[in-house]
Amino acid sequence: MSTETFEFQVEARQLLQLMIHSVYSNKDVFLRELVSNASDALDKLRLEKLRDDTLDADVTDLHVRIDVDKEARTLTVRDNGIGMSYDEVGKLIGTIANSGTATFLKELREAQDAAGAEGLIGQFGVGFYSGFMVADEVTLVSRRAGEGHGTRWTSRGEATYTLERVDDAPQGTSVTLHLKPADPENQLHDYTSPWTVREIIKRYSDFITWPIRMVPETGDGDGDTTPEPETLNSMKALWARSRDEVSDDEYHELYKHISHDWREPLETIRLQAEGTFEYQALLFVPSHAPHDLFTRDFKRGVQLYVKRVFIMDDCEALLPPYLRFVKGVVDAADLSLNVSREILQQDRHIRMMQRRLTKKVLSTVKEFMTKDNDRYGTFWREFGTVLKEGLVTDSENREAILAVSSFATTHSDDEPTTLAQYAERMKDGQDDIYYITGESRQSIENSPHMEAFRDKGIEVLLLTDAVDEVWVDTVGEYEGKKLRSVAKGEIDLDTEGDEKADGEREKQAEEYAGLLGWMREQLDEDIKEVRLSARLTVSPACVVSDAHDLTPALENMYRAMGQEVPRTKRILELNPGHVLVKGLNEAYREREDRSGLAESAELLHTLAVLAEGGQPKDPARFVKLVADRLERTL
């Protein structure tokens, strides 16, 4: 068979060099990664055979086998699982220059410690290449179950790798590491030592449900004597054992196996249901958000087992999308072994499980909030944005989600607040909970819409996540207090019944009536109304949305999702106390020919749009108008 040689792409070579020379602080984890991959291959074969009993594959003794050869200095991890075709080897093993590689490299370089770097390795799914930390060369041989020939992949982790078809490959995959020269001063990490291999498997992979067998070593000069394989792992499902039988370290290793995240989880959640429908669940809340949490390709859901038999990875039906970061295992006693994703969506038992698992996760977050501020802070920083999606999609648990949600606020520069805490601080006579949305805290704190609230010391929630634009309208109120945007509708913060303030407003309305009507006609294409503002104290003007209109940000979100929404005209508010507005009104009242004032009205409107972070409708025209005005002042 001919051998083809391929070059790694530039980013793939960079990634390999980073991993080989600087990433892993604990080299032992390479064996955990290879065994984890082998276990996944066995799961996939059993599932494939369950769905297609015509598949020509041997499933009588599925296992992982480790062979060590001290003389040749090789370590081989074999499985008789699903295997890979020639094309799959080229795609999955032959290259790591996928769409996530650039992001991975960037985050890897920015990782502040080795543990952080290792966590990224697992998340980006390139743990296979950890073998190059201990090996000068790696050879992979694989044959997909049901196919007649196999594939050999070989690389020294440098510029190239080779692929060739082989006829005599057994079903499954074997990875042979040609180990680097022995280090006489570090015998604890001699990976040709059966003792070392045994300790690593016990520490990292004891819970694997398939037997992990080892033939101690070959090449020992014993003639025809063939060592008897020994099983290295207990194969006991952790979720089926009592809490006092399992250490935290064992739970954490199971989490790392499931999630491919090398950091320890933030929390481990156990749940056991008995009665008419029995199941056990072992869930994990990660300590860091995966890099692809908000991408379309993110794989969400937990693993589903039925009576210890693996059925499905990423079972989406067991948790709602806003809890997609939760990892773990659910083992049901009364489901069919050949259950499909479509059936799961309709199964009432699955819906019952989802409701209980969801409530358990939310109650755990509530415990963070009430008992451990540090863990709650970590959770909310990493997953608060995705959890808030549930405020829109899960009406049944909306109150529970709202109870564990916190938001940036003008009350504090660094401490977020809950709605309950906000409500306790509300001023006498204040009926509404005020908020403002935008791209960043800095931009919205400096927004003209905030001026009167800042002057009067009224607290405002500062909402900067895209989902905030949606959930505030969906939720609407909190304990009878309306959630109200400072950038929508009319705002009047003066005390009701203040005759002096009422009289001043009436006087201003009469004084500016002509200008407001004229500007409304001049700016008709862009605005629906011009009115005097009660929210401005410093800026000359601002634009606001009507109380029930979509905000510009929400309109853009819908358009980005392919939904056509009509463009909404907004309202221009003027500050009657600002010298620019006063001057414009005087000029309007004194001149019969007001054509020269039209440009001033246009500039005032565009400045208001810019002040809230918007863009001029015609940037070139705006620049010209400003330049002309500056020229006249020289």
Side-chain angles (χ1 to χ4, degrees):
M1 295 288 180
S2 61
T3 300
E4 294 184 89
T5 300
F6 300 88
E7 286 192 0
F8 286 116
Q9 294 182 11
V10 173
E11 286 183 339
R13 287 202 296 269
Q14 292 174 347
L15 177 54
L16 272 172
Q17 292 307 305
L18 278 170
M19 293 177 66
I20 290 171
H21 297 296
S22 64
V23 171
Y24 290 86
S25 59
N26 177 11
K27 295 180 181 180
D28 293 351
V29 295
F30 83 89
L31 189 52
R32 176 181 71 189
E33 290 297 297
L34 296 182
V35 169
S36 179
N37 291 345
S39 173
D40 290 344
L42 297 172
D43 286 336
K44 290 175 181 177
L45 178 59
R46 181 165 63 178
L47 192 58
E48 190 79 12
K49 185 69 173 178
L50 194 64
R51 293 173 176 169
D52 180 11
D53 57 11
T54 66
L55 179 67
D56 182 17
D58 182 7
V59 295
T60 57
D61 182 27
L62 299 179
H63 64 277
V64 181
R65 172 171 158 161
I66 300 175
D67 295 329
V68 294
D69 187 330
K70 188 177 290 289
E71 183 175 310
R73 286 202 58 74
T74 62
L75 181 147
T76 302
V77 178
R78 310 175 190 272
D79 68 73
N80 54 349
I82 191 68
M84 291 176 282
S85 66
Y86 184 91
D87 289 341
E88 286 172 330
V89 171
K91 179 180 179 182
L92 300 176
I93 304 298
T95 177
I96 47 181
N98 54 41
S99 60
T101 304
T103 305
F104 172 79
L105 285 167
K106 178 177 180 293
E107 295 192 19
L108 187 59
R109 293 189 183 103
E110 294 173 354
Q112 297 299 308
D113 52 40
E118 291 174 4
L120 290 172
I121 294 278
Q123 289 183 27
F124 278 81
V126 290
F128 165 79
Y129 289 91
S130 61
F132 285 103
M133 279 298 293
V134 299
D136 290 323
E137 181 174 292
V138 176
T139 300
L140 176 143
V141 178
S142 187
R143 177 170 68 82
R144 184 169 183 82
E147 293 193 354
H149 59 80
T151 305
R152 178 182 289 111
W153 178 99
T154 304
S155 177
R156 296 186 61 85
E158 297 170 347
T160 64
Y161 61 91
T162 63
L163 279 178
E164 64 177 314
R165 300 181 189 273
V166 292
D167 293 329
D168 56 350
Q171 170 187 302
T173 301
S174 69
V175 179
T176 299
L177 306 180
H178 303 268
L179 298 168
K180 295 179 179 180
D183 182 357
E185 298 180 0
N186 193 4
Q187 293 300 313
L188 289 177
H189 296 283
D190 178 7
Y191 300 112
T192 63
S193 163
W195 181 88
T196 299
V197 172
R198 191 179 295 111
E199 288 299 305
I200 294 173
I201 295 299
K202 191 68 178 176
R203 183 164 70 250
Y204 291 131
S205 307
D206 189 60
F207 57 84
I208 296 291
T209 54
W210 303 106
I212 303 171
R213 300 169 184 160
M214 179 175 67
V215 179
E217 61 180 295
T218 60
D220 54 8
D222 290 340
D224 296 333
T225 303
T226 302
E228 188 72 22
E230 61 174 306
T231 299
L232 305 181
N233 59 322
S234 69
M235 295 181 287
K236 293 182 179 179
L238 296 189
W239 57 90
R241 295 156 64 181
S242 63
R243 180 65 181 89
D244 56 5
E245 291 180 325
V246 186
S247 68
D248 287 341
D249 286 343
E250 288 178 295
Y251 282 134
H252 294 171
E253 289 307 323
L254 175 62
Y255 165 73
K256 294 170 185 177
H257 169 73
I258 291 171
S259 67
H260 301 291
D261 177 5
W262 292 13
R263 301 178 178 96
E264 294 185 353
L266 189 65
E267 184 60 85
T268 301
I269 304 172
R270 286 182 61 104
L271 187 64
Q272 181 164 336
E274 298 178 345
T276 56
F277 185 71
E278 297 183 0
Y279 63 91
Q280 297 165 312
L282 188 57
L283 305 179
F284 301 96
V285 179
S287 57
H288 295 266
H291 72 283
D292 54 350
L293 181 61
F294 292 97
T295 65
R296 183 173 298 178
D297 296 332
F298 180 74
K299 293 182 178 179
R300 65 179 181 88
V302 299
Q303 293 183 349
L304 175 64
Y305 284 71
V306 175
K307 298 177 182 177
R308 312 290 188 273
V309 176
F310 175 79
I311 299 299
M312 191 179 300
D313 221 347
D314 308 315
C315 183
E316 298 179 356
L318 288 170
L319 284 171
Y322 67 89
L323 294 181
R324 58 185 176 271
F325 53 87
V326 174
K327 301 298 181 183
V329 172
V330 175
D331 191 346
D334 302 304
L335 289 175
S336 168
L337 287 176
N338 61 357
V339 67
S340 68
R341 292 185 185 272
E342 291 72 27
I343 293 174
L344 286 177
Q345 296 293 336
Q346 308 299 324
D347 191 281
R348 66 183 183 88
H349 289 132
I350 292 293
R351 292 198 297 272
M352 289 168 51
M353 292 165 64
Q354 187 199 76
R355 283 198 293 270
R356 185 167 181 191
L357 294 174
T358 299
K359 292 183 184 300
K360 183 64 176 177
V361 173
L362 293 177
S363 68
T364 299
V365 179
K366 184 69 173 179
E367 289 183 13
F368 292 165
M369 175 178 273
T370 56
K371 299 179 181 179
D372 193 330
N373 286 335
D374 288 341
R375 280 209 291 178
Y376 174 74
T378 297
F379 172 84
W380 192 255
R381 181 179 65 252
E382 299 293 327
F383 303 110
T385 300
V386 66
L387 191 73
K388 285 187 289 186
E389 294 175 10
L391 294 172
V392 181
T393 60
D394 188 355
S395 58
E396 180 180 346
N397 292 296
R398 186 170 292 152
E399 289 187 10
I401 300 170
L402 207 57
V404 298
S405 297
S406 58
F407 315 96
T409 170
T410 54
H411 179 72
S412 171
D413 290 337
D414 49 17
E415 288 294 325
T417 190
T418 65
L419 293 187
Q421 292 168 332
Y422 180 105
E424 290 176 359
R425 294 191 293 264
M426 286 174 62
K427 292 183 174 295
D428 291 340
Q430 181 182 341
D431 298 322
D432 301 327
I433 295 174
Y434 292 104
Y435 70 87
I436 184 171
T437 60
E439 292 185 357
S440 69
R441 176 169 184 146
Q442 181 179 4
S443 66
I444 57 181
E445 275 194 306
N446 294 326
S447 167
H449 304 115
M450 295 284 290
E451 292 175 0
F453 292 88
R454 188 181 298 110
D455 280 2
K456 295 183 179 294
I458 297 176
E459 183 176 356
V460 179
L461 301 179
L462 308 172
L463 309 180
T464 57
D465 293 325
V467 68
D468 293 329
E469 294 280 356
V470 184
W471 76 258
V472 287
D473 285 334
T474 303
V475 173
E477 64 174 38
Y478 172 75
E479 293 187 351
K481 300 172 180 63
K482 184 178 179 183
L483 298 173
R484 192 170 180 191
S485 171
V486 304
K488 293 181 71 173
E490 293 196 68
I491 297 291
D492 185 359
L493 301 180
D494 288 326
T495 304
E496 289 186 11
D498 187 330
E499 294 183 2
K500 182 178 179 181
D502 291 342
E504 181 67 21
R505 280 194 293 269
E506 290 179 6
K507 180 180 177 182
Q508 289 176 339
E510 182 178 346
E511 181 180 353
Y512 283 88
L515 176 67
L516 299 180
W518 175 79
M519 288 186 66
R520 166 69 179 81
E521 293 176 359
Q522 296 298 312
L523 302 171
D524 180 64
E525 289 186 6
D526 301 303
I527 62 172
K528 65 167 66 174
E529 182 184 352
V530 183
R531 66 190 182 202
L532 298 182
S533 178
R535 74 186 90 213
L536 296 175
T537 61
V538 177
S539 301
C542 68
V543 285
V544 300
S545 299
D546 220 343
H548 302 292
D549 285 347
L550 296 179
T551 63
L554 202 52
E555 285 185 17
N556 292 335
M557 284 175 58
Y558 283 128
R559 292 190 183 106
M561 294 185 293
Q563 300 183 33
E564 283 301 320
V565 292
R567 178 172 170 269
T568 303
K569 289 185 179 182
R570 304 182 71 203
I571 298 166
L572 177 64
E573 289 192 349
L574 305 182
N575 178 2
H578 195 279
V579 62
L580 180 59
V581 176
K582 287 181 178 180
L584 186 61
N585 189 44
E586 291 174 3
Y588 168 81
R589 298 175 69 175
E590 291 173 358
R591 300 182 189 177
E592 292 185 7
D593 180 8
R594 302 182 179 107
S595 57
L597 297 179
E599 289 183 354
S600 298
E602 183 181 346
L603 279 172
L604 193 60
H605 172 251
T606 307
L607 289 173
V609 171
L610 288 170
E612 68 162 6
Q615 296 294 323
K617 183 174 66 173
D618 186 344
R621 175 173 170 77
F622 173 69
V623 169
K624 184 177 184 304
L625 289 177
V626 172
D628 289 346
R629 290 301 174 98
L630 288 174
E631 183 180 344
R632 293 176 204 169
T633 64
L634 296 177

